[in-house]
Amino acid sequence: MVTESLGVSLVGGTCSGVICTVLFQPLDFLKTQLQLASGASRVNGTVLRTLPGNVVRTCWVGLRPSLARTIPGVACYFATLSQLKKLHGGELNNVSAMGLGALARTLTVIGVQPLTLVKTRYESGQFGYRSISGAFRDIVVRERAVGLYRGLLATILRDAPFSGLYLALYSQLKRNFYDPESAVSTVVSGLAAGCGAALLTHPADVIKTRVQTTTAEKGATLSKTAMIVYKEGGIRAFYAGFVPRVVRRTLVSCTAWLIYEEVKKRSYLFS
């Protein structure tokens, strides 16, 4: 039985957060740009507009807030999930896996939401923030402290179902492998689960990005934002930026779980 203690979960989650953020930040940046663009030439126009000059520097816009958000976010998620599994006891079925995954992600989202907001606004390029602390000050001054939680509901509606679906699919797929503890089973299950969960939750991601890049003065709500997106391009508009997100989300989730599972196997190093 592989150990899943709080300390191991934190270490595994931290390692996963650092590696995944640095590797896949360009895809997150491109996804945000595509979701904020509109028009028939959205994809080509956005790519050409966002990649002039120093490509490396451009694509890693928002890396600092991404690291500040993802490292504690992934660590807290795995730590919370490990504790919820202990409270649940026994093997997870599909329903319990969905419930625990969604609950663990919801608690994590609430904790890191201010950093999620700053990260999204950094990537949008619309606010001119020069530092994370400066972004916090600007938001509090313009939108008060409650502004730091702008888009919280939209983020929960995106992340909780994703994590619930992902954990249920991932756990079910791993159980069907001859060797469920192997790295191959983790990678294959992670890729398949990530694709399925990303497909079903992408519309909520589009709405979240739009809400968080609109200041409180403009009064954007979930319903108003959804209507605006629909008027721009119908159902198809809710899948803007789908390709970079599904690639990034799938690779991030797969990589994160692979690192986490491998750290768990070496839990003796932390005893």
Side-chain angles (χ1 to χ4, degrees):
M1 184 70 178
V2 179
T3 304
E4 195 168 357
S5 67
L6 179 60
V8 170
S9 299
L10 287 171
V11 172
T14 299
C15 293
S16 300
V18 173
I19 295 172
C20 291
T21 302
V22 174
L23 288 178
F24 304 120
Q25 174 61 22
L27 289 170
D28 209 23
F29 168 72
L30 181 58
K31 181 265 299 183
T32 299
Q33 292 292 322
L34 288 170
Q35 290 178 347
L36 293 173
S38 61
S41 60
R42 173 163 45 213
V43 175
N44 291 334
T46 300
V47 171
L48 291 175
R49 191 169 56 253
T50 57
L51 295 181
N54 191 330
V55 175
V56 173
R57 182 176 179 181
T58 300
C59 288
W60 266 269
V61 167
L63 178 60
R64 285 180 297 168
S66 288
L67 286 170
R69 166 194 173 271
T70 306
I71 293 173
V74 177
C76 288
Y77 171 72
F78 280 124
T80 303
L81 183 61
S82 70
Q83 298 309 298
L84 290 174
K85 284 181 178 179
K86 287 182 179 179
L87 291 174
H88 175 268
E91 187 174 348
L92 297 180
N93 57 34
N94 291 337
V95 175
S96 59
M98 287 186 66
L100 293 186
L103 178 57
R105 182 61 68 186
T106 298
L107 295 174
T108 301
V109 165
I110 293 172
V112 301
Q113 177 62 17
L115 289 166
T116 301
L117 175 67
V118 171
K119 167 190 168 295
T120 302
R121 290 190 173 182
Y122 250 96
E123 292 171 350
S124 74
Q126 298 178 4
F127 294 85
Y129 297 146
R130 295 182 178 275
S131 67
I132 296 175
S133 59
F136 276 111
R137 285 196 300 269
D138 184 76
I139 293 170
V140 171
V141 169
R142 293 175 181 271
E143 305 173 54
R144 298 182 297 177
V146 69
L148 293 172
Y149 280 84
R150 184 161 187 75
L152 174 62
L153 180 58
T155 307
I156 291 175
L157 290 176
R158 177 197 67 173
D159 287 357
F162 179 92
S163 293
L165 288 167
Y166 185 92
L167 185 59
L169 290 170
Y170 175 79
S171 301
Q172 180 63 47
L173 290 169
K174 275 183 72 72
R175 283 196 293 268
N176 293 331
F177 272 84
Y178 175 74
D179 182 7
E181 298 299 328
S182 68
V184 173
S185 71
T186 300
V187 171
V188 174
S189 300
L191 290 174
C195 286
L199 175 65
L200 294 174
T201 61
H202 191 74
D205 187 60
V206 173
I207 295 173
K208 180 211 73 99
T209 299
R210 294 292 190 93
V211 169
Q212 290 188 328
T213 52
T214 304
T215 57
E217 291 88 347
K218 296 182 180 180
T221 62
L222 291 182
S223 58
K224 287 182 180 179
T225 302
M227 287 301 298
I228 291 172
V229 173
Y230 182 77
K231 288 178 180 178
E232 288 179 357
I235 298 299
R236 185 177 180 179
F238 287 98
Y239 281 88
F242 175 71
V243 173
R245 178 176 182 253
V246 74
V247 172
R248 176 194 173 276
R249 204 72 175 90
T250 299
L251 291 176
V252 164
S253 298
C254 176
T255 304
W257 276 92
L258 177 61
I259 295 171
Y260 178 64
E261 299 281 11
E262 292 303 309
V263 169
K264 281 201 304 178
K265 292 177 184 177
R266 293 159 179 78
S267 58
Y268 59 86
L269 296 173
F270 308 99
S271 59

